[in-house]
Structures are given as C-alpha cells and as structure tokens.
Amino acid sequence: MSAADVTGRLAQAAGSVSKDRLWRRHLEMSRIGATGRGGLNRLALTPEDGQAQALIAGWAAARGYTTTRDAAGNVFIRREGSRPDAPAVMTGSHLDSQPNGGCFDGTYGVLAGFEVLEALDDAGIATPHPIEVVAWMNEEGSRFVPGAMGSAAFTGFLPLQDVLEKKDAAGVTVREALARIDGSTPLAARAPGPPPAAYVEAHIEQGPILESRGDTIGVVTGIQGIRRFAVEVLGEEGHAGTTPRASRKDALSAAVALISALERLTADAEDQVRFTVGRMAVEPNSPNTIPGKVTFSIDLRHPSKDLLARTGDLIHATVSEVAASRRVDAKVQDISFVAPTTFLPLVPEAVRSAASAEGLPHHVLPSGAGHDAMHLSRICPTGMVFIPCLNGRSHTEVESATPEDLFAGARVLARVIAELALQSC
Ligand code: HGY
Ligand code: MN
Ligand code: MN
C-alpha cells in the first residue's frame, strides 16, 4: 500500500468515527453502576462490572467481533485482521470505577477503542493486524489493592497467582469474585497469543492542563511513578472516661501525628510530590473507646524514581520515630512501586501527527494519573491520547467531558490505530 493510500485510509478511518454513536454508548454505559448523583460506583468484578462487560460484549457480537476473558479477568474484544497470527494492535482502558467515580475515567478509553473498530468497519478498511479493545481488570485499585492489577498480570509485573489471592475488605478474593463474574457474564477464555504490536489508550486527562491551555488533545509522553504503602498502628484500647492521658496508647491520635509528620516529610517547594492518605480504618471505632488499632493507606507519586525510592525509605524511618514517641507500635508495608514510565517515541509521535492531521490544538505532557499503559509500555510501543475534563476534576461524581472532545479524541485514536494496524507484518 502506498504512503498516499495509507494517508487516505487514516482520513477515512477518522472520518467514519461517529460522535452521536460514541455519545449514545457513553449514556448507555453510564447507567450501569449509576449513583444517581451523576457518577458511578462500578467496582472491579462486582455485578455492575459484569453488566458493563455484558453490554459491550453484546455490541461486539452484533459486529461479529469475538469477546474473551483471560485468567486475570481482563476482557478482550477482537476485530480480526487479514493476518490472524499477527500481533494485535491493542487499545482500551478500564470499566471499573472509583466508589464515587465519574462516567468517563476508563470508560472513555474502552468506548473510544470500540468506536474505532466500528469506524474501520463502516469505512470498509481491512487491516493485516488484528485489533483488540481491552477492558483491564481492577485498574482503579479501590476494591482490590493495588490498581492496574489486570494489566500487571497480563504483562508479568505481578504473578497471576498473587493477583488471584488478593482480598477485598470483606475478605473476598479476586479468584472468588472472578468465578462469580464468569457465572453471571460467561465469556470464552482468551487463548494465549504473541505480545501486542502496540498499545494506545485514550483517557481524560484527569488534570487541568489541557483545559487551561485551550488544547483538545494531550500527546502523552509517559506516566509518573507511584509507590503504595499500608500502615498499621497498634495501641491499646481503653475507657474514654477513666484512662489518664499519661497512660494512653491511642492508635488514632498517633496516626494523626504520623500523617502530619509524613505530610511535612513529603512537602516539596515545587509542589510536585503527590502524597495522599485516602483510606483509614479505626478499631473498634466506638466514640467512648480509645482506639486500639488504626490502618491507613499511602499513595505517593512523583516523576523521579530516585525521589520515590528515597522518600519511601524515609517514610519507614519517620513512622518508627513518631510511633515510639507516642508509645504505640507501627508497621509500614510496601504494597507496590511502579517506576516512572517514559513511552518510546513511536506512538506519541503518531498521536502528535494525528492531532495535527485533524487540525486539533494539542499539547505534549506526561500523565499525573496512573494507567494500564504504564505496564503495557514494558512489553510493546505504547502511548496515550488525552482529552480535557471539566475543571480538570476526576475520581469524583462531577467528572465531565464534552461530546465534542470525546469525538476529537476518538478521531485521533482512529488514525493512530489504523496507522499501526495497516503496517505490514
Ligand atoms: O489512581 C490513578 O491514578 C488512576 O486514576 N486509577
Ligand atoms: Mn483511569
Ligand atoms: Mn481512575
């Protein structure tokens, strides 16, 4: 195929993306797990997650695509290529949400990828490479920790057995939750295949940069690193009315002192370090009993691997020091450390030229949020297409994006996927 033919095909693919169909699919998908306040509660491997998978599998069947699930619970929608044995070009994101999540985080990447398959069909474009749209299992890491769990298993970052044994707060394992979803939404098992030829993920930026600059497309160059910890503070339960302060071993007041010390430790002048305690459990959680045990999460992010390594080690030291001063015991467990990711130029360059070809204002930037792309980038050329979201807000029910921006991002994605899938193999 000549360069001119390929250029024509890319324009045809983008020109066949339907804004209305893409928006309708979002409205339909957003009903599953709807909170009634404009957001979603569609946690990984819940019945709602299964319903979302069933919905898109139904759309896929109507188009003659095959839908399979792998042993980690990732769902793959496949449009065959003329060379079925060729490595697939992959796209997608995740269908699970935060407990008070938005309707676009993850969902957009899966639906934009599906829209690209339909646009290629509508344009009558056959590709040598098969194309797969993936809904990665438990990207959010809210029900099961850590996040991006399905893509971590797919790429070998986490052993499958470790993933299957992870438990949620109710003690349900991934394996048990998967068995339930296999029951409610049965899908054929995915046959093992070659590593993907490339991976491209469309996502809302989840930050304010594109919107504040008036840009429509983000050409993503990489993803900052993430370290996750679990902290357990053990004190001594006691009566609120009779226990003198001098003899208290109050796990909650010690946890408050710990978190304040860790905030001081991680406060940097550049305001680049992201330190978050998002989850806390207090036992026995009774107003008139001195808390004997507190657990809390730490989510630490930064573009520098060295800083994450150094700061993480200081967290251990700070926790020990403050715990001793508060006469409690404290343990810090390292949950995960995903190093900062820099994408190879191939896909980001394709995204940039696609945005230019579509005449869309675009900006080159790294991602502050984590994505499955951070794992895929270890096994194949990877990139992301960002679009703005309202006030840069995400992981909240007010998360919002416009039909026009969803449409623009899907056109860029269509060009990039067509370019990669049309390459001879
Ligand atoms: O936490 C993250 O960065 C992702 O949005 N789950
Ligand atoms: Mn996401
Ligand atoms: Mn998210």
CSV table of all heavy atoms in Angstrom, one decimal, residues 75-121:
chain,number,residue,atom,x,y,z
A,75,VAL,N,-10.9,-8.3,29.8
A,75,VAL,CA,-11.8,-8.7,28.7
A,75,VAL,C,-11.3,-8.1,27.4
A,75,VAL,O,-10.9,-6.9,27.4
A,75,VAL,CB,-13.2,-8.1,29.0
A,75,VAL,CG1,-14.2,-8.3,27.9
A,75,VAL,CG2,-13.8,-8.8,30.3
A,76,PHE,N,-11.2,-8.9,26.4
A,76,PHE,CA,-10.6,-8.5,25.1
A,76,PHE,C,-11.7,-8.6,24.0
A,76,PHE,O,-12.3,-9.7,23.8
A,76,PHE,CB,-9.5,-9.5,24.7
A,76,PHE,CG,-8.4,-9.5,25.7
A,76,PHE,CD1,-8.5,-10.2,26.9
A,76,PHE,CD2,-7.2,-8.8,25.4
A,76,PHE,CE1,-7.4,-10.2,27.8
A,76,PHE,CE2,-6.2,-8.8,26.4
A,76,PHE,CZ,-6.3,-9.5,27.6
A,77,ILE,N,-11.9,-7.6,23.3
A,77,ILE,CA,-12.8,-7.6,22.1
A,77,ILE,C,-12.0,-7.5,20.8
A,77,ILE,O,-11.2,-6.6,20.7
A,77,ILE,CB,-13.8,-6.3,22.1
A,77,ILE,CG1,-14.7,-6.5,23.3
A,77,ILE,CG2,-14.6,-6.2,20.9
A,77,ILE,CD1,-15.4,-5.2,23.7
A,78,ARG,N,-12.1,-8.5,20.0
A,78,ARG,CA,-11.1,-8.6,18.9
A,78,ARG,C,-11.8,-8.5,17.5
A,78,ARG,O,-12.8,-9.1,17.2
A,78,ARG,CB,-10.5,-10.0,19.0
A,78,ARG,CG,-9.4,-10.3,17.9
A,78,ARG,CD,-8.8,-11.7,18.1
A,78,ARG,NE,-7.8,-12.1,17.1
A,78,ARG,CZ,-6.5,-12.0,17.2
A,78,ARG,NH1,-6.0,-11.5,18.3
A,78,ARG,NH2,-5.7,-12.4,16.2
A,79,ARG,N,-11.2,-7.6,16.7
A,79,ARG,CA,-11.6,-7.4,15.3
A,79,ARG,C,-10.5,-8.1,14.5
A,79,ARG,O,-9.3,-7.7,14.6
A,79,ARG,CB,-11.7,-6.0,14.9
A,79,ARG,CG,-12.1,-5.7,13.4
A,79,ARG,CD,-12.1,-4.3,13.1
A,79,ARG,NE,-12.6,-3.9,11.8
A,79,ARG,CZ,-11.9,-3.6,10.7
A,79,ARG,NH1,-10.6,-3.6,10.8
A,79,ARG,NH2,-12.5,-3.3,9.6
A,80,GLU,N,-10.8,-9.1,13.8
A,80,GLU,CA,-9.8,-9.9,13.1
A,80,GLU,C,-9.0,-9.1,12.1
A,80,GLU,O,-9.6,-8.2,11.5
A,80,GLU,CB,-10.4,-11.2,12.5
A,80,GLU,CG,-10.0,-12.5,13.0
A,80,GLU,CD,-8.8,-12.6,13.9
A,80,GLU,OE1,-7.7,-12.1,13.6
A,80,GLU,OE2,-8.9,-13.2,15.0
A,81,GLY,N,-7.8,-9.5,11.8
A,81,GLY,CA,-7.0,-8.9,10.7
A,81,GLY,C,-6.9,-9.9,9.6
A,81,GLY,O,-7.2,-11.1,9.8
A,82,SER,N,-6.3,-9.5,8.5
A,82,SER,CA,-6.1,-10.5,7.4
A,82,SER,C,-5.0,-11.4,7.7
A,82,SER,O,-4.8,-12.5,7.1
A,82,SER,CB,-5.8,-9.7,6.1
A,82,SER,OG,-4.7,-8.8,6.3
A,83,ARG,N,-4.2,-11.1,8.8
A,83,ARG,CA,-3.1,-12.0,9.2
A,83,ARG,C,-3.5,-12.3,10.7
A,83,ARG,O,-2.9,-11.7,11.6
A,83,ARG,CB,-1.8,-11.3,9.2
A,83,ARG,CG,-1.2,-11.0,7.8
A,83,ARG,CD,-0.7,-12.3,7.1
A,83,ARG,NE,0.2,-13.0,8.1
A,83,ARG,CZ,1.5,-12.7,8.2
A,83,ARG,NH1,2.0,-11.7,7.5
A,83,ARG,NH2,2.2,-13.4,9.1
A,84,PRO,N,-4.4,-13.3,10.9
A,84,PRO,CA,-4.8,-13.6,12.3
A,84,PRO,C,-3.7,-13.9,13.3
A,84,PRO,O,-3.8,-13.7,14.5
A,84,PRO,CB,-5.8,-14.8,12.1
A,84,PRO,CG,-6.1,-14.8,10.7
A,84,PRO,CD,-5.0,-14.1,10.0
A,85,ASP,N,-2.5,-14.4,12.7
A,85,ASP,CA,-1.5,-14.8,13.6
A,85,ASP,C,-0.5,-13.6,13.9
A,85,ASP,O,0.4,-13.7,14.7
A,85,ASP,CB,-0.6,-15.9,12.9
A,85,ASP,CG,-0.1,-15.4,11.6
A,85,ASP,OD1,-0.7,-14.5,11.0
A,85,ASP,OD2,1.0,-15.9,11.1
A,86,ALA,N,-0.9,-12.5,13.3
A,86,ALA,CA,0.0,-11.3,13.6
A,86,ALA,C,-0.3,-10.7,14.9
A,86,ALA,O,-1.4,-10.9,15.5
A,86,ALA,CB,-0.3,-10.2,12.5
A,87,PRO,N,0.7,-10.1,15.6
A,87,PRO,CA,0.4,-9.5,16.9
A,87,PRO,C,-0.7,-8.4,16.8
A,87,PRO,O,-0.7,-7.7,15.8
A,87,PRO,CB,1.7,-8.9,17.3
A,87,PRO,CG,2.6,-8.9,16.1
A,87,PRO,CD,2.1,-9.9,15.1
A,88,ALA,N,-1.6,-8.4,17.8
A,88,ALA,CA,-2.7,-7.4,17.7
A,88,ALA,C,-2.2,-6.0,18.1
A,88,ALA,O,-1.3,-5.8,18.9
A,88,ALA,CB,-3.8,-7.8,18.7
A,89,VAL,N,-2.8,-5.0,17.4
A,89,VAL,CA,-2.7,-3.6,17.9
A,89,VAL,C,-3.8,-3.5,19.0
A,89,VAL,O,-5.0,-3.8,18.8
A,89,VAL,CB,-3.0,-2.6,16.8
A,89,VAL,CG1,-3.1,-1.2,17.4
A,89,VAL,CG2,-1.8,-2.7,15.8
A,90,MET,N,-3.4,-3.1,20.2
A,90,MET,CA,-4.3,-3.0,21.3
A,90,MET,C,-4.7,-1.6,21.7
A,90,MET,O,-3.8,-0.7,21.6
A,90,MET,CB,-3.7,-3.7,22.5
A,90,MET,CG,-3.9,-5.2,22.6
A,90,MET,SD,-3.4,-5.8,24.2
A,90,MET,CE,-3.5,-7.6,23.9
A,91,THR,N,-5.9,-1.4,22.1
A,91,THR,CA,-6.3,-0.2,22.7
A,91,THR,C,-7.3,-0.5,23.8
A,91,THR,O,-7.5,-1.7,24.1
A,91,THR,CB,-7.0,0.7,21.6
A,91,THR,OG1,-7.4,2.0,22.2
A,91,THR,CG2,-8.3,0.0,21.1
A,92,GLY,N,-7.9,0.5,24.5
A,92,GLY,CA,-8.8,0.2,25.6
A,92,GLY,C,-8.4,0.9,26.8
A,92,GLY,O,-7.6,1.9,26.8
A,93,SER,N,-9.0,0.5,28.0
A,93,SER,CA,-8.7,1.2,29.3
A,93,SER,C,-9.4,0.3,30.3
A,93,SER,O,-9.2,-0.9,30.3
A,93,SER,CB,-9.2,2.6,29.3
A,93,SER,OG,-8.8,3.3,30.4
A,94,HIS,N,-10.3,0.9,31.1
A,94,HIS,CA,-11.0,0.0,32.1
A,94,HIS,C,-12.4,0.4,32.3
A,94,HIS,O,-12.8,1.6,32.0
A,94,HIS,CB,-10.2,0.2,33.5
A,94,HIS,CG,-10.1,1.6,34.0
A,94,HIS,ND1,-11.0,2.2,34.9
A,94,HIS,CD2,-9.2,2.6,33.7
A,94,HIS,CE1,-10.7,3.4,35.1
A,94,HIS,NE2,-9.6,3.7,34.4
A,95,LEU,N,-13.3,-0.5,32.8
A,95,LEU,CA,-14.7,-0.3,33.0
A,95,LEU,C,-15.0,-0.1,34.5
A,95,LEU,O,-16.1,0.3,34.9
A,95,LEU,CB,-15.5,-1.4,32.4
A,95,LEU,CG,-15.6,-1.5,30.9
A,95,LEU,CD1,-16.3,-2.7,30.4
A,95,LEU,CD2,-16.3,-0.2,30.3
A,96,ASP,N,-14.0,-0.5,35.4
A,96,ASP,CA,-14.3,-0.3,36.8
A,96,ASP,C,-14.1,1.1,37.2
A,96,ASP,O,-13.3,1.9,36.5
A,96,ASP,CB,-13.4,-1.2,37.6
A,96,ASP,CG,-11.9,-0.9,37.6
A,96,ASP,OD1,-11.4,-0.8,36.4
A,96,ASP,OD2,-11.3,-0.6,38.6
A,97,SER,N,-14.8,1.6,38.2
A,97,SER,CA,-14.7,3.0,38.6
A,97,SER,C,-14.3,3.1,40.1
A,97,SER,O,-14.2,2.1,40.8
A,97,SER,CB,-16.1,3.6,38.4
A,97,SER,OG,-16.9,3.3,39.5
A,98,GLN,N,-14.1,4.3,40.5
A,98,GLN,CA,-13.9,4.6,41.9
A,98,GLN,C,-15.3,4.4,42.6
A,98,GLN,O,-16.3,4.4,41.9
A,98,GLN,CB,-13.4,6.0,42.1
A,98,GLN,CG,-12.0,6.2,41.7
A,98,GLN,CD,-11.0,5.7,42.7
A,98,GLN,OE1,-11.2,5.8,44.0
A,98,GLN,NE2,-9.9,5.1,42.3
A,99,PRO,N,-15.4,4.4,43.9
A,99,PRO,CA,-16.7,4.2,44.6
A,99,PRO,C,-17.6,5.4,44.3
A,99,PRO,O,-18.8,5.3,44.3
A,99,PRO,CB,-16.4,4.0,46.1
A,99,PRO,CG,-14.9,4.3,46.2
A,99,PRO,CD,-14.3,4.2,44.9
A,100,ASN,N,-17.0,6.6,44.2
A,100,ASN,CA,-17.8,7.8,43.8
A,100,ASN,C,-17.1,8.4,42.6
A,100,ASN,O,-16.7,9.5,42.6
A,100,ASN,CB,-17.7,8.8,45.0
A,100,ASN,CG,-18.9,8.8,45.9
A,100,ASN,OD1,-19.6,7.8,45.9
A,100,ASN,ND2,-19.1,9.8,46.7
A,101,GLY,N,-17.1,7.5,41.6
A,101,GLY,CA,-16.3,7.9,40.4
A,101,GLY,C,-17.1,8.6,39.4
A,101,GLY,O,-18.3,8.9,39.5
A,102,GLY,N,-16.4,9.0,38.3
A,102,GLY,CA,-17.0,9.7,37.2
A,102,GLY,C,-17.3,8.7,36.0
A,102,GLY,O,-16.9,7.6,36.0
A,103,CYS,N,-18.1,9.2,35.0
A,103,CYS,CA,-18.6,8.4,33.9
A,103,CYS,C,-17.6,8.3,32.8
A,103,CYS,O,-17.9,7.6,31.8
A,103,CYS,CB,-19.9,9.0,33.4
A,103,CYS,SG,-21.2,8.9,34.6
A,104,PHE,N,-16.4,8.9,32.9
A,104,PHE,CA,-15.5,8.9,31.8
A,104,PHE,C,-14.1,8.3,32.0
A,104,PHE,O,-13.5,7.8,31.1
A,104,PHE,CB,-15.3,10.4,31.3
A,104,PHE,CG,-16.6,11.0,30.9
A,104,PHE,CD1,-17.3,11.8,31.8
A,104,PHE,CD2,-17.1,10.8,29.6
A,104,PHE,CE1,-18.6,12.4,31.4
A,104,PHE,CE2,-18.3,11.4,29.2
A,104,PHE,CZ,-19.1,12.2,30.1
A,105,ASP,N,-13.7,8.3,33.3
A,105,ASP,CA,-12.4,7.7,33.7
A,105,ASP,C,-12.4,6.2,33.4
A,105,ASP,O,-13.2,5.5,33.9
A,105,ASP,CB,-12.2,7.9,35.2
A,105,ASP,CG,-11.0,7.2,35.7
A,105,ASP,OD1,-10.2,6.6,34.9
A,105,ASP,OD2,-10.8,7.3,37.0
A,106,GLY,N,-11.7,5.8,32.4
A,106,GLY,CA,-11.6,4.4,31.9
A,106,GLY,C,-12.7,4.1,30.9
A,106,GLY,O,-12.3,3.6,29.8
A,107,THR,N,-13.9,4.4,31.2
A,107,THR,CA,-15.0,4.1,30.2
A,107,THR,C,-14.7,4.7,28.9
A,107,THR,O,-14.9,4.1,27.8
A,107,THR,CB,-16.3,4.6,30.8
A,107,THR,OG1,-16.6,3.9,32.0
A,107,THR,CG2,-17.5,4.3,29.8
A,108,TYR,N,-14.2,5.9,28.9
A,108,TYR,CA,-13.9,6.6,27.6
A,108,TYR,C,-13.0,5.8,26.7
A,108,TYR,O,-13.2,5.6,25.5
A,108,TYR,CB,-13.4,8.0,27.8
A,108,TYR,CG,-13.0,8.7,26.5
A,108,TYR,CD1,-13.9,8.8,25.4
A,108,TYR,CD2,-11.7,9.2,26.3
A,108,TYR,CE1,-13.5,9.3,24.2
A,108,TYR,CE2,-11.3,9.8,25.1
A,108,TYR,CZ,-12.2,9.9,24.1
A,108,TYR,OH,-11.8,10.4,22.9
A,109,GLY,N,-11.9,5.3,27.3
A,109,GLY,CA,-10.9,4.6,26.6
A,109,GLY,C,-11.4,3.3,26.0
A,109,GLY,O,-11.1,2.9,24.8
A,110,VAL,N,-12.3,2.6,26.7
A,110,VAL,CA,-12.9,1.4,26.2
A,110,VAL,C,-13.9,1.7,25.0
A,110,VAL,O,-13.8,1.1,23.9
A,110,VAL,CB,-13.6,0.6,27.3
A,110,VAL,CG1,-14.3,-0.6,26.7
A,110,VAL,CG2,-12.6,0.2,28.4
A,111,LEU,N,-14.7,2.7,25.3
A,111,LEU,CA,-15.7,3.1,24.2
A,111,LEU,C,-15.1,3.7,23.0
A,111,LEU,O,-15.5,3.5,21.9
A,111,LEU,CB,-16.8,3.9,24.8
A,111,LEU,CG,-17.7,3.3,25.9
A,111,LEU,CD1,-18.8,4.2,26.3
A,111,LEU,CD2,-18.2,1.9,25.5
A,112,ALA,N,-14.1,4.5,23.2
A,112,ALA,CA,-13.4,5.2,22.0
A,112,ALA,C,-12.7,4.1,21.2
A,112,ALA,O,-12.8,4.1,20.0
A,112,ALA,CB,-12.4,6.2,22.5
A,113,GLY,N,-12.1,3.1,21.9
A,113,GLY,CA,-11.5,2.0,21.2
A,113,GLY,C,-12.5,1.2,20.4
A,113,GLY,O,-12.3,0.8,19.2
A,114,PHE,N,-13.7,1.0,21.0
A,114,PHE,CA,-14.8,0.2,20.3
A,114,PHE,C,-15.3,1.0,19.1
A,114,PHE,O,-15.5,0.5,18.1
A,114,PHE,CB,-15.9,-0.1,21.3
A,114,PHE,CG,-16.9,-1.1,20.7
A,114,PHE,CD1,-16.7,-2.4,20.7
A,114,PHE,CD2,-18.1,-0.6,20.2
A,114,PHE,CE1,-17.6,-3.3,20.2
A,114,PHE,CE2,-19.0,-1.5,19.6
A,114,PHE,CZ,-18.8,-2.9,19.6
A,115,GLU,N,-15.4,2.3,19.3
A,115,GLU,CA,-15.8,3.2,18.2
A,115,GLU,C,-14.8,3.1,17.0
A,115,GLU,O,-15.3,3.1,15.9
A,115,GLU,CB,-15.9,4.7,18.7
A,115,GLU,CG,-16.3,5.7,17.6
A,115,GLU,CD,-17.6,5.4,16.9
A,115,GLU,OE1,-18.5,4.9,17.5
A,115,GLU,OE2,-17.7,5.7,15.7
A,116,VAL,N,-13.6,3.0,17.3
A,116,VAL,CA,-12.6,2.9,16.2
A,116,VAL,C,-12.8,1.6,15.4
A,116,VAL,O,-12.8,1.6,14.2
A,116,VAL,CB,-11.1,2.9,16.8
A,116,VAL,CG1,-10.1,2.5,15.7
A,116,VAL,CG2,-10.8,4.3,17.3
A,117,LEU,N,-13.1,0.5,16.1
A,117,LEU,CA,-13.4,-0.8,15.4
A,117,LEU,C,-14.6,-0.6,14.5
A,117,LEU,O,-14.6,-0.9,13.3
A,117,LEU,CB,-13.8,-1.9,16.4
A,117,LEU,CG,-12.7,-2.3,17.4
A,117,LEU,CD1,-13.2,-3.6,18.1
A,117,LEU,CD2,-11.4,-2.5,16.8
A,118,GLU,N,-15.7,0.1,15.0
A,118,GLU,CA,-16.9,0.3,14.2
A,118,GLU,C,-16.6,1.2,13.0
A,118,GLU,O,-17.1,1.0,11.9
A,118,GLU,CB,-18.0,0.9,15.1
A,118,GLU,CG,-18.4,-0.1,16.2
A,118,GLU,CD,-19.8,0.2,16.7
A,118,GLU,OE1,-19.9,1.1,17.6
A,118,GLU,OE2,-20.7,-0.4,16.3
A,119,ALA,N,-15.8,2.3,13.3
A,119,ALA,CA,-15.4,3.2,12.2
A,119,ALA,C,-14.7,2.5,11.1
A,119,ALA,O,-14.9,2.7,9.9
A,119,ALA,CB,-14.6,4.4,12.8
A,120,LEU,N,-13.7,1.6,11.5
A,120,LEU,CA,-13.0,0.9,10.4
A,120,LEU,C,-13.9,0.0,9.6
A,120,LEU,O,-13.8,-0.1,8.4
A,120,LEU,CB,-11.9,0.0,11.1
A,120,LEU,CG,-10.7,0.8,11.7
A,120,LEU,CD1,-9.8,-0.1,12.5
A,120,LEU,CD2,-9.9,1.5,10.7
A,121,ASP,N,-14.9,-0.6,10.3
A,121,ASP,CA,-15.9,-1.4,9.6
A,121,ASP,C,-16.7,-0.6,8.6
A,121,ASP,O,-16.9,-0.9,7.4
A,121,ASP,CB,-16.9,-2.1,10.6
A,121,ASP,CG,-16.3,-3.4,11.2
A,121,ASP,OD1,-15.1,-3.7,10.8
A,121,ASP,OD2,-17.0,-4.1,11.9
